[in-house]
Amino acid sequence: FTCLGLPRLLNIDIGTLEAKFYELSRAFHPDFYQNKTDSEQAISLGNSALLNTAYRTLKDPIQRAEYLLRLEAGSAKDIRTSPPADLFEEILALQEDLEEYRSAQADQNQAGLEQLRARLTADRDMLEQRQREMESRLFELFAKWDSLQGRQSQAQQADPHLREDKDAVLKEMREVFSNRTYLRNIVNDLVATTA
């Protein structure tokens, strides 16, 4: 955010981001420093690399949110070791289906295999729908975060509840990211097993 001169918001104007990136790219591009000292060339190269990383991170809304979460509250990629509570039973049934499918593959039981594959495909569709719902919730939280940031910048005096509100949004974002990562791992396992 600092590198590109942007506020810590989750909904940013991509056009503004690109304009800033290209403006700074021209200023830091190593080609413009070919006739400079070795240290100036190294600084240019480092600045250019940092700028590219910042741009890639901020361009993608999920990477942007994960980065902001790391800045504000620590790691965003904590992987759950247990299923989200509201999916606990479905995940247990899915894991049983996966084991049954693996056994049917080993036994070369084609009739049971196709039936299980259909059930696993339905399970994958359900989990992918849950992932889409989680992403939708993330975008709602992005708007909430941005609203809180706006409230902070407009406040005439310190708002004692603002930090609590921001922490609550960050906590929920972390939880959604954690659940999303867990589900993505399950879906990847499903895809790999049934491929």
Side-chain angles (χ1 to χ4, degrees):
F1 293 100
T2 302
C3 180
L4 286 155
L6 297 173
R8 285 186 181 185
L9 297 176
L10 292 170
N11 293 303
I12 60 175
D13 178 36
I14 297 300
T16 301
L17 173 67
E18 287 178 355
K20 286 278 208 179
F21 171 70
Y22 291 125
E23 174 189 332
L24 292 170
S25 289
R26 285 188 292 277
F28 293 127
H29 199 279
D31 288 348
F32 297 121
Y33 291 83
Q34 288 179 348
N35 297 328
K36 302 291 182 178
T37 67
D38 288 346
S39 64
E40 287 173 316
Q41 288 178 12
I43 290 169
S44 167
L45 191 60
N47 286 341
S48 188
L50 177 64
L51 181 63
N52 287 326
T53 300
Y55 176 70
R56 278 192 310 275
T57 300
L58 295 181
K59 188 174 180 181
D60 178 82
I62 300 299
Q63 286 184 28
R64 184 183 324 127
E66 288 175 338
Y67 177 70
L68 180 106
L69 194 53
R70 272 194 314 274
L71 287 176
E72 296 283 339
S75 178
K77 291 197 177 204
D78 296 333
I79 298 174
R80 297 186 69 93
T81 55
S82 61
D86 58 336
L87 283 177
F88 186 75
E89 290 182 22
E90 288 94 346
I91 297 295
L92 287 179
L94 171 66
Q95 288 173 338
E96 288 174 11
D97 289 348
L98 276 170
E99 282 306 312
E100 192 176 336
Y101 183 82
R102 288 178 183 122
S103 295
Q105 273 185 314
D107 297 340
Q108 308 266 327
N109 178 355
Q110 291 302 316
L113 204 58
E114 288 308 312
Q115 188 178 34
L116 281 169
R117 184 186 306 264
R119 207 164 52 210
L120 290 172
T121 299
D123 288 340
R124 186 182 79 204
D125 292 343
M126 181 267 306
L127 291 176
E128 288 173 341
Q129 175 59 35
R130 283 298 300 253
Q131 285 179 303
R132 287 188 292 275
E133 290 168 7
M134 286 178 184
E135 288 198 8
S136 176
R137 180 61 187 146
L138 277 174
F139 285 103
E140 291 170 10
L141 290 168
F142 294 176
K144 197 170 184 179
W145 172 265
D146 289 353
S147 173
L148 291 170
Q149 288 290 81
R151 199 170 96 195
Q152 179 178 350
S153 66
Q154 293 173 353
Q156 299 292 334
Q157 55 187 339
D159 180 345
H161 302 290
L162 185 61
R163 186 72 248 169
E164 292 171 12
D165 294 344
K166 288 172 85 173
D167 287 345
V169 170
L170 291 169
K171 181 179 178 186
E172 188 175 351
M173 256 196 280
R174 181 187 302 245
E175 184 70 16
V176 173
F177 271 119
S178 179
N179 290 344
R180 182 177 172 273
T181 301
Y182 183 87
L183 284 184
R184 188 175 56 232
N185 290 342
I186 295 290
V187 169
N188 289 345
D189 190 25
L190 264 170
V191 169
T193 301
T194 59

